[in-house]
Amino acid sequence: MPAPDSRALRHKVAIVGAAETDTVGLLPNHSMLHLHAESAFNALDDAGLTLADVDGLATAGPSPVQLSEYLGIAPTWIDGTSVGGGSFLIHVGHAVAAIAAGYASVVLITHGESGRSRVGVVGAGGGAGGNQTPGGQFEAPFGVFGPPSTFSIPIVRHMKRFGTTEEQFAAVAVATRAWAVKNPRALMRAPITVEDVLNSRLVAWPLHLLNCCVVTDGGGALVLVGEDRARDFPKKPVWVLGRGEAGAHSNISQMRDFTQWTHGIAAGENAFHMADIDRSAIDHAMFYDAFTHTPVYALEALGFVKPGEGGPFMAEMHTAPGGDFPMNTNGGGLSYTHTGMYGMFAIQESVAQLRGEAGERQIRDAKIGIVHAPGGFFASVSTLILGNE
Amino acid sequence: MAYNKPLPAPTPETQEYWDGLKRHELRIQRCRDCSRHYFYPRPFCPHCYSRNVEWTTVSGKGKLHTFVINYRPARGFESDVPYVIAIVELDEGARMMTNLINVQPDPQHVTADMPVEIVYDDVTPEVTLPKFQPARR
């Protein structure tokens, strides 16, 4: 057997069903598992399938067996990779290999999180864990409190090394909000300015409130099948062209280089190798924005700009409506929705753009999209390249 | 008043580190093969994967590598807000999370690469935490 090459799996598996929960935002009448189920039903409806057709299941948050029980299915391929908000991108990559190998024929990937209302939360949460864990011994005693105090730790080093400014990070929130204005489902839709961001209350300097994502309830799901039947569904298939993933640390204090996302570079290179395209082929980008600095690190890790150029690039508003690098067009985690593990929504928007279903925010002639996400605090990373031709 | 912040619980491979702090010594590990110091404690080198490692006592001097000034307190930290959660790079090269204390929690006074030194904070009879402060000149 010749050495395997991921390029052999390019364009072999497609997303044929994609949907979110009926609404996103504040859903106090939905348990976490109900959000998964509503997403699953909506995505399967989108593909003209039912739960009876599903033989592969991947999810994060609850385990795939907890979800199988709730849905009443017994899938013969399961993936419970749960490494934070980007887990669903990783599931897509794993599903490509599983479908190509014949392990499964219809893979359902679900997300649902009662991030705001906290109803019926199932499964292991994040956090430092017990006081014997590395996080419990070497971070918790110093008063870290959730993502705003940990995900933010690298920022000052980026500022020190490259001269990135608070105004440049604030510009990310401004550009993203300008997209949210065009999305009727977005939680935050009033336009904002750099001054508004810098004048919002301090959360963990250099983070102000408007540098941080919203907190919501919601879910989304995807249905994937192989090339042999991908064209037999109601909607045009969205092909998986490339995927990459990596993991390197769990606790932010162990991040190898606070100025660049080193394993994010590896994930991106693997995705572009598999897709066999250049950066210039990308029409649309979804870079997970838990905070305003995460897309800056993504832009640099993926090679769209050189190290240190991410801040000025954002300040020049290339990513805003009308710009030449449309990014986070649903309004992102910053303004659209962020349930906790936002990666599913980043994929949903990429699919919507490639299907031409993005309404007022539609990018004309979008053919190839990239989705890139951290899980945890730059801990895991995942990249997808999707295409509609 | 009883200490009500999160406390660490040592494991066998970290016991020497916590015991050292109690004696007001900063004990971290060094690889005998690649000569690099590393943190947190584990019985092999995370740089070159050698298991030929040793405990060393280090100076407790270093630089402030990166930080946030935190306004949303963790449990027990309510009266400390705002407080500096810092990553210090020791002179020996290893990095660790800590709090920067005895400084105004303000970006005018707290800056990347400022020299810092360890302060042994005996928070309970059993636990000493490594805090850091601006180095005395």
Side-chain angles (χ1 to χ4, degrees):
Chain A
M1 189 171 94
D5 187 318
S6 63
R7 284 176 292 192
L9 295 188
R10 177 187 189 278
H11 209 284
K12 295 296 184 198
V13 169
I15 296 167
V16 297
E20 298 179 357
T21 42
D22 298 343
T23 57
V24 294
L26 185 61
L27 303 170
N29 297 319
H30 283 61
S31 72
M32 177 184 187
L33 287 168
H34 183 183
L35 293 166
H36 279 259
E38 185 173 302
S39 304
F41 276 89
N42 288 351
L44 288 162
D45 283 349
D46 187 56
L49 294 172
T50 75
L51 280 169
D53 299 305
V54 172
D55 64 356
L57 178 67
T59 194
S63 80
V65 290
Q66 288 170 317
L67 188 61
S68 294
E69 173 187 295
Y70 186 80
L71 295 175
I73 61 175
T76 50
W77 176 85
I78 52 177
D79 181 5
T81 304
S82 190
V83 289
S87 298
F88 315 101
L89 284 73
I90 293 178
H91 296 155
V92 170
H94 292 183
V96 168
I99 291 170
Y103 291 176
S105 59
V106 176
V107 170
L108 172 68
I109 303 172
T110 68
H111 164 63
E113 202 164 357
S114 185
R116 185 157 183 157
S117 301
R118 311 301 297 168
V119 182
V121 176
V122 173
N131 63 355
Q132 284 197 318
T133 62
Q137 291 189 67
F138 306 113
E139 292 202 349
F142 304 107
V144 294
F145 182 58
S149 66
T150 48
F151 217 147
S152 50
I153 289 277
I155 301 172
V156 162
R157 201 67 212 171
H158 198 280
M159 295 166 74
K160 175 74 180 175
R161 177 174 171 192
F162 298 119
T164 314
T165 66
E166 290 181 74
E167 287 76 10
Q168 289 166 352
F169 288 120
V172 178
V174 174
T176 309
R177 180 64 63 87
W179 284 113
V181 169
K182 298 171 179 288
N183 183 355
R185 282 166 64 91
L187 186 72
M188 307 293 277
R189 299 189 65 200
I192 53 171
T193 64
V194 166
E195 290 67 35
D196 290 334
V197 179
L198 298 179
N199 291 333
S200 62
R201 70 178 163 80
L202 280 164
V203 174
W205 185 90
L207 287 184
H208 297 256
L209 185 66
L210 293 179
N211 293 108
C212 306
C213 66
V214 297
V215 181
T216 61
D217 308 320
L222 299 166
V223 181
L224 286 83
V225 303
E227 187 184 25
D228 54 313
R229 49 190 301 206
R231 294 177 184 84
D232 302 340
F233 293 88
K235 292 187 178 163
K236 204 175 155 190
V238 171
W239 298 96
V240 182
L241 303 181
R243 53 59 70 191
E245 69 189 55
H249 65 262
S250 171
N251 295 293
I252 193 65
S253 59
Q254 297 291 312
M255 186 167 176
R256 290 159 184 226
D257 181 344
F258 291 107
T259 68
Q260 55 177 348
W261 198 354
T262 50
H263 51 302
I265 296 171
E269 281 176 355
N270 284 340
F272 277 104
H273 170 83
M274 177 170 162
D276 209 9
I277 57 168
D278 293 327
R279 268 67 174 169
S280 59
I282 299 294
D283 299 311
H284 173 254
M286 292 302 296
F287 294 160
Y288 190 134
D289 52 343
F291 298 96
T292 50
H293 64 295
T294 36
V296 173
Y297 279 72
L299 266 173
E300 296 178 4
L302 292 168
F304 288 104
V305 299
K306 294 196 177 77
E309 291 180 355
F313 184 86
M314 292 297 185
E316 289 161 10
M317 292 288 150
H318 295 277
T319 66
D324 58 1
F325 193 86
M327 182 190 88
N328 297 350
T329 49
N330 58 353
L334 290 170
S335 291
Y336 169 49
T337 210
H338 193 292
T339 51
M341 292 191 285
Y342 166 81
M344 174 58 80
F345 299 97
I347 304 171
Q348 294 287 339
E349 176 67 5
S350 188
V351 170
Q353 289 285 351
L354 294 170
R355 285 173 162 184
E357 294 178 343
E360 199 192 329
R361 58 188 196 278
Q362 179 66 44
I363 305 305
R364 272 180 56 192
D365 300 325
K367 293 184 177 63
I368 300 184
I370 186 167
V371 191
H372 186 79
F377 317 130
F378 290 120
S380 70
V381 57
S382 48
T383 313
L384 290 178
I385 298 174
L386 304 175
N388 61 10
E389 292 188 336
Chain B
M1 200 177 82
Y3 189 76
N4 65 344
K5 294 171 178 170
L7 284 168
T11 51
E13 72 268 43
T14 68
Q15 190 70 51
E16 173 67 15
Y17 169 74
W18 292 110
D19 288 350
L21 289 172
K22 216 169 144 181
R23 300 190 303 267
H24 290 198
E25 287 174 28
L26 182 56
R27 300 274 289 161
I28 68 170
Q29 287 164 304
R30 175 184 169 273
C31 177
R32 289 196 187 100
D33 286 338
C34 76
S35 301
R36 278 181 277 193
H37 289 79
Y38 63 89
F39 188 81
Y40 47 83
R42 66 205 94 164
F44 57 91
C45 171
H47 300 296
C48 77
Y49 315 119
S50 167
R51 282 177 285 183
N52 183 20
V53 300
E54 64 185 357
W55 285 96
T56 60
T57 301
V58 296
S59 65
K61 293 186 185 306
K63 284 181 175 175
L64 179 62
H65 190 68
T66 190
F67 64 95
V68 295
I69 302 171
N70 192 40
Y71 287 79
R72 285 172 76 246
R75 177 176 59 82
F77 285 77
E78 293 81 0
S79 58
D80 298 349
V81 170
Y83 55 95
V84 180
I85 303 171
I87 304 291
V88 163
E89 184 171 287
L90 299 172
D91 286 351
E92 293 79 10
R95 290 182 196 148
M96 58 196 298
M97 184 178 278
T98 184
N99 294 127
L100 189 71
I101 60 171
N102 300 330
V103 66
Q104 263 188 271
D106 179 320
Q108 299 299 318
H109 297 272
V110 182
T111 55
D113 286 342
M114 67 189 282
V116 295
E117 63 186 18
I118 197 166
V119 179
Y120 296 97
D121 189 357
D122 301 316
V123 297
T124 70
E126 295 78 30
V127 175
T128 299
L129 293 177
K131 307 279 180 74
F132 283 75
Q133 65 183 8
R136 288 162 301 193
R137 288 294 179 183

